[in-house]
Each structure stands twice: as structure tokens, then as C-alpha cells.
Amino acid sequence: MRTIKTQADLRCLRKAQVFSEPFTSYLEEEFLQLKEAFDFDGADEQFTLDMYGYMVVLEKGDNLRDLSTVGLRREEGGLLGSLPEFVEKVERNGECWYKVVVIYTNEYGMAFYVPAEAIADDEQVASWLEEQADNQA
């Protein structure tokens, strides 16, 4: 699991080449859109998602049924027990991932990004994501 709260977090991901170029570029676009949405007009380095809810990138091996470290408790089913505001399936350059937005309070929500390859071995999660995305379409 990777968390993105600042521009520096994105630079670290890009430098480490943890994810593919298309996915990394998408995460950077998402971050910039959030910065604009929160009408932040300071220096890029000063912007942080701490007070709004940050971006969480899930990876192969992460337990989507227990994301307690980011507020989705095992006892409640983790991501699968959440009631997402929306789920979007994104396809670019032959890759696929899901964006899942969960609202915690009126002022705080988290965006979860789930690459399809990270959940390829978990039919239940893949099915849940597809169903959620289809319900939004």
C-alpha cells in the first residue's frame, strides 16, 4: 500500500518506478485535480491532502478486507464493506485500474486506486469492483 499526500510522495513513486508510466502519470493528474478542487494557490510543495483525505494506492498482497491503517476496519469488511461514493474503471494503454472514493465525513474522503493486476488472483474483489463500477455507469 502506498499513500500519496504531497507532491514529494509522487516524486518518490516516479523515481522508484514502482508503477507503470501510464499509471504514475494518472496518479499525478489526479493529485493536480485535487489540488485545483481544493482551490490551493500556494506553492506546490506546500499542498498536502492530510486534512481532506489522501490517495491510497493498493498493491498485490494488500488485504482489501482489512484496511484498518486507512480507516476501513476488518470487522466491517474493509474496502468491500464500504459504501463508496463512486467507483470508476479506468483503462489506458492496455492497463486497467479502479478508482474507489469513500467519504468518511462531510470534509474527509479517501481515494483508493486498485490496479487490476493487484487483484487478479482475488475473484471476489475483482467481481465487487466490476459490480460497483457498473452500478455507477
Side-chain angles (χ1 to χ4, degrees), residues 35-98:
K35 181 178 171 274
E36 287 177 25
F38 293 120
D39 200 28
F40 184 81
D41 59 1
D44 284 350
E45 291 304 313
Q46 294 175 336
F47 179 69
T48 180
L49 290 170
D50 279 322
M51 62 189 284
Y52 308 108
Y54 44 94
M55 300 166 65
V56 178
V57 184
L58 299 168
E59 300 175 280
K60 189 171 186 71
D62 287 339
N63 183 358
L64 277 66
R65 293 167 186 83
D66 183 4
L67 297 173
S68 301
T69 58
V70 289
L72 298 177
R73 298 169 6 127
R74 176 183 46 81
E75 298 83 7
E76 296 166 357
L79 188 63
L80 278 69
S82 71
L83 297 172
E85 185 72 15
F86 72 87
V87 177
E88 177 183 17
K89 183 177 183 177
V90 180
E91 297 180 89
R92 287 191 185 171
N93 298 351
E95 294 182 44
C96 174
W97 54 85
Y98 297 87

Side-chain angles (χ1 to χ4, degrees), residues 94-136:
E95 294 182 44
C96 174
W97 54 85
Y98 297 87
K99 175 183 177 180
V100 182
V101 174
V102 178
I103 304 299
Y104 290 56
T105 69
N106 286 340
E107 294 89 26
Y108 197 88
M110 302 280 269
F112 295 88
Y113 300 87
V114 186
E117 64 193 29
I119 47 105
D121 297 337
D122 192 328
E123 195 173 308
Q124 183 185 17
V125 171
S127 200
W128 183 85
L129 286 166
E130 274 297 320
E131 184 179 299
Q132 295 296 316
D134 287 345
N135 289 339
Q136 311 277 315

